[in-house]
Amino acid sequence: MKNSPIYLTALLVATLLLSSCTNDHTADSAATTAGAGANASTTHDMAGATHSAMDHAAMGHGAAGASEPSPQLTAMNEMMQQMHATTPTGNTDYDFARHMLEHHKGAVVMADIELRDGQDATMRRMAEQIKADQQQEIRELTAAAARLKSAPANYQPENPADPFSSKMKASMDGMMQDLPQPATDPDLSFNQLMTVHHQSAVDMAQAQLAHGRDPQLKKMAQQMITAQQQEIQQFKAWHAANANKQ
């Protein structure tokens, strides 16, 4: 049966209308997603600048990391969001204690993930030690934060040129920039991300040593530097001996 000209014309019009609606819906969805991402991803850091909220694409260095981030990567992401959400008060000691609290909580979550998923005896042993050490320091940091809650301001958190503010910001920026490519092996993932995590803690502790005033927190900062630098070397040695893992 031959198609009539009227039928063909109606079919063509319907096809064009359907195509237009589909394109409009796609564009609207993309704009909505982009707008939501822009609104949700900016928070003030210690220097008053705005930062990415460490979304999975940035943390994963690519589409694979964005679609299926590892549990360790997700824990790092959530920790960074909590740190960026911690509004600085202007007192070096109090702000250090509160930011390091969130940092330590992230380490405990990462250690728990390794103890749940990891198989390597060395990495599991390090996870146990890190969890115990960080939980003890969390208790000490919580007490310090409570003690220093009303401490007077002694630096300018919104000033990018402020020495303490710039060092604390650099410690967090460095953690973002030094993230490795995502690993599928849970032991390797823990090793690589905890190495970066520890280095950030060392940088924060060095800022506290240089600009903090509370003797107890300065002593704790030095202990963190000593312990975590040693663990960084242990992580790097394990990584070199397990280059076949992915």
Side-chain angles (χ1 to χ4, degrees):
M1 181 180 70
K2 294 183 179 181
N3 293 321
S4 69
I6 295 176
Y7 174 80
L8 292 174
T9 301
L11 180 62
L12 177 60
V13 170
T15 302
L16 290 174
L17 287 173
L18 178 62
S19 175
S20 175
C21 290
T22 301
N23 291 337
D24 288 346
H25 176 72
T26 301
D28 289 344
S29 298
T32 301
T33 301
N39 291 334
S41 66
T42 55
T43 51
H44 287 285
D45 62 18
M46 295 195 71
T50 56
H51 256 285
S52 164
M54 298 293 287
D55 58 38
H56 294 316
M59 302 250 343
H61 294 287
S67 60
E68 294 185 9
S70 71
Q72 294 286 358
L73 201 58
T74 299
M76 285 274 281
N77 180 36
E78 292 173 351
M79 179 203 71
M80 285 298 297
Q81 289 177 351
Q82 289 299 316
M83 290 181 70
H84 281 300
T86 302
T87 305
T89 65
N91 180 271
T92 54
D93 302 306
Y94 181 64
D95 289 346
F96 168 77
R98 290 168 69 240
H99 278 81
M100 190 62 83
L101 262 172
E102 298 301 335
H103 202 269
H104 275 26
K105 289 176 184 177
V108 171
V109 173
M110 294 169 69
D112 279 338
I113 293 170
E114 169 61 17
L115 293 173
R116 183 193 70 193
D117 300 337
Q119 300 296 321
D120 182 83
T122 299
M123 288 298 97
R124 290 178 60 85
R125 184 169 59 252
M126 290 190 70
E128 290 175 348
Q129 186 63 53
I130 288 169
K131 180 178 179 179
D133 291 345
Q134 306 265 305
Q135 285 180 326
Q136 174 60 34
E137 290 178 352
I138 283 172
R139 290 189 285 271
E140 296 175 14
L141 288 166
T142 300
R147 175 170 56 83
L148 296 164
K149 189 173 183 179
S150 300
N154 56 15
Y155 82 103
Q156 299 176 308
E158 301 299 325
N159 181 3
D162 183 273
F164 181 74
S165 180
S166 63
K167 288 179 181 178
M168 291 290 283
K169 177 180 181 297
S171 74
M172 291 187 280
D173 288 351
M175 185 159 51
M176 293 172 64
Q177 294 164 2
D178 294 339
L179 287 171
Q181 293 294 326
T184 56
D185 182 271
D187 297 307
L188 180 60
S189 181
F190 174 71
N191 174 281
Q192 291 180 314
L193 290 172
M194 189 58 77
T195 300
V196 175
H197 184 278
H198 267 21
Q199 185 58 56
S200 174
V202 169
D203 294 341
M204 290 172 65
Q206 289 173 338
Q208 172 64 14
L209 274 183
H211 304 287
R213 301 182 183 180
D214 184 78
Q216 293 182 27
L217 280 179
K218 288 169 75 73
K219 180 180 179 181
M220 189 185 301
Q222 182 58 68
Q223 292 171 343
M224 290 177 189
I225 292 170
T226 301
Q228 297 198 30
Q229 283 182 332
Q230 181 179 355
E231 288 172 349
I232 287 172
Q233 294 308 311
Q234 293 172 347
F235 278 129
K236 290 182 176 180
W238 182 91
H239 188 270
N242 291 271
N244 60 317
K245 291 184 180 293
Q246 296 181 354

